[in-house]
């Protein structure tokens, strides 16, 4: 099999051409922080946590959307990258209303875990306190925009795995929101199949089932990956 | 060695962080060997004395809190923000995207428990709520933060004990960071 030579953190590696830097790291046990990446879904580079330094390129590139090239020299662990990861995490917290203590996902949240991983003890930016709606119109599920970090994992799970195309994104910048159908209440959706895949894909307490209470939410995003892998087996 | 002085206070908080402080249990004796706790919310209303370490729970929600925290900043060598409200406003900040009169009406007029005849209290002795709630860091310089709602007793004791022994604690290094 054809392989190409790359270097990650001074380690010489032989990897398959065409894979992403993120995949090369994961295959070789190199830890890299991600939030919008979910194995099985396409990558969009939304969260900017997997930024890496590549020799010869004067800006940081996201590992999940950059493919390896021959003789690429990559660094994933520099002080600059760590500083950016901390900034990104703090901005996630400052942008919307992430009140862990009253959140269903408390103790079982990828954003909380991320904060611990980057060593965030406080947030250096002023909080925006945007007015965010909570959509409880669906029979079984709730969408709480206060907790959404716009990773769009739900949007991709809905379109790529379920094929329902219920979720989409409106606006730009800090007014960006996930919407159901044409920005109508989730309960009135004619495309939603109530499959619950978006709930499992969501890393925070933005999407949850009505039968859970504060701090009781359990998520299994790996079920999306499993489903995609199993479908591939069916096709072969 | 002269004993250090510790003072604690709660501003816009629920006293949960102080409960967590009490949860350090018998380790309070280790603290007492090294320091005197000269001020806390259950002693009489004298103004905040000069201290080495001030533990401040809660966020700045009113004129009284603002006055208090500015005073404490002058009195304390080390100002420690204790708990999520002090660090990032947490639950107290959930009213920040509403107007203050909406908040008052929700609590005193439209609350299910008060038969629509409630009035907003406005006695001059009461504190005046600010339009927005701020974490301590937006009002004064904060020297150290202990996040958590509440922070664990372990985390509080660890930070106190390190400071009392003239070391700088690192909550991240000892894996005691916690929000919520």
């Amino acid at each position: 099999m054809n392989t190409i030579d790359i270097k990650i953190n001074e380690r010489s590696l032989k990897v398959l051409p065409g894979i992403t830097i993120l995949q090369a790291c994961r295959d070789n046990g190199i830890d890299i922080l991600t939030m919008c990446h979910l194995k099985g879904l396409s990558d969009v580079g939304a969260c900017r946590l997997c930024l890496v330094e590549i020799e010869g390129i004067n800006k940081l590139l996201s590992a999940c959307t950059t493919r390896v090239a021959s003789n690429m020299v990559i660094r994933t662990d520099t002080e600059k990258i760590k500083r950016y990861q901390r900034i990104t995490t703090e901005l996630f917290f400052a942008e919307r209303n992430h009140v862990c203590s009253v959140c269903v996902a408390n103790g079982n949240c990828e954003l909380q875990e991320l904060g611990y991983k980057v060593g965030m003890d406080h947030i250096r930016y002023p909080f925006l306190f945007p007015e965010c709606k909570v959509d409880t119109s669906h029979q079984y599920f709730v969408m709480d925009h206060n907790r959404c970090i716009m990773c769009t994992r739900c949007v991709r799970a809905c379109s790529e795995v379920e094929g329902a195309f219920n979720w989409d994104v409106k606006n730009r910048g800090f007014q960006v929101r996930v919407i159901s159908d044409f920005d109508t209440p989730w309960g009135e959706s004619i495309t939603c199949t109530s499959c619950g895949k978006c709930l499992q894909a969501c890393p925070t307490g933005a999407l949850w089932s009505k039968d859970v209470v504060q701090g009781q939410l359990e998520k299994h995003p790996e079920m999306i990956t499993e489903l995609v892998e199993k479908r591939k087996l069916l096709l072969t | 060695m002269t004993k250090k002085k510790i003072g604690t206070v709660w501003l816009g908080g629920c006293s949960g962080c102080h409960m967590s402080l009490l949860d350090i249990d018998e380790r309070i004796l280790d603290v007492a060997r090294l320091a005197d706790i000269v001020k806390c919310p259950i002693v009489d209303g004298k103004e905040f004395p000069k201290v080495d370490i001030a533990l401040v729970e809660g966020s700045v929600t009113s004129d009284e809190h603002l006055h208090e925290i500015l005073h404490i900043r002058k009195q304390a060598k080390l100002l420690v923000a204790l708990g999520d409200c002090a660090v990032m406003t947490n639950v107290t900040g959930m009213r920040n995207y509403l107007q203050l009169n909406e908040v008052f009406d929700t609590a005193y007029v439209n609350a299910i428990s008060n038969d629509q005849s409630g009035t907003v209290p406005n006695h001059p002795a009461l504190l005046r709520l600010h339009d927005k709630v701020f974490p301590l860091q937006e009002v004064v310089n904060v020297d150290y933060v202990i996040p958590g709602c509440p922070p664990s007793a372990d985390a509080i004791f660890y930070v106190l004990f390190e400071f009392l022994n003239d070391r700088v604690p690192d909550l991240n290094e000892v894996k005691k960071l916690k929000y919520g």
Side-chain angles (χ1 to χ4, degrees), chain A residues 35-38 41-42 44 46 96 142-145 147-169 177-180 186 192 195-204 206-208 219 221 224:
Chain A
M35 188 58 93
C36 69
H37 169 81
L38 182 58
L41 302 179
S42 62
V44 291
R96 296 207 189 172
V142 178
M143 169 77 204
D144 183 352
H145 292 277
R147 312 283 187 252
C148 178
I149 56 164
M150 294 310 300
C151 68
T152 68
R153 270 159 52 165
C154 56
V155 178
R156 284 171 284 148
C158 189
S159 56
E160 294 168 18
V161 186
E162 178 63 7
F165 295 89
N166 173 62
W167 293 119
D168 213 324
V169 174
R177 296 286 183 276
V178 165
I179 52 167
S180 167
W186 192 4
C192 178
C195 71
K197 288 189 185 68
C198 50
L199 271 67
Q200 301 303 335
C202 175
T204 67
L207 286 164
W208 41 279
K219 296 215 173 185
I224 305 278

Side-chain angles (χ1 to χ4, degrees), chain A residues 84-144:
Chain A
Y84 273 73
Q85 285 171 338
R86 164 109 193 226
I87 291 173
T88 306
T89 310
E90 287 179 36
L91 290 173
F92 278 141
F93 275 89
E95 183 171 349
R96 296 207 189 172
N97 311 306
H98 295 280
V99 187
C100 297
S101 51
V102 292
C103 179
V104 282
N106 190 8
N108 208 337
C109 170
E110 287 183 38
L111 183 61
Q112 234 175 356
E113 285 298 320
L114 176 69
Y116 303 150
K117 276 186 195 158
V118 300
M120 183 190 87
D121 55 359
H122 69 295
I123 291 134
R124 291 168 290 177
Y125 308 103
F127 291 87
L128 296 182
F129 296 112
E131 191 182 345
C132 294
K133 297 275 184 261
V134 181
D135 185 347
T136 59
S137 59
H138 193 282
Q139 190 181 358
Y140 310 116
F141 310 133
V142 178
M143 169 77 204
D144 183 352

Side-chain angles (χ1 to χ4, degrees), chain A residues 55-82:
Chain A
E55 215 163 82
I57 297 174
N58 64 1
K59 58 178 182 178
L60 301 175
L61 292 179
S62 54
C64 66
T65 53
T66 310
R67 295 186 188 283
V68 290
S70 199
N71 298 320
M72 222 178 212
V73 180
I74 303 155
R75 294 215 62 107
T76 70
D77 59 355
T78 61
E79 284 309 309
K80 184 180 178 185
I81 290 170
K82 283 180 190 157

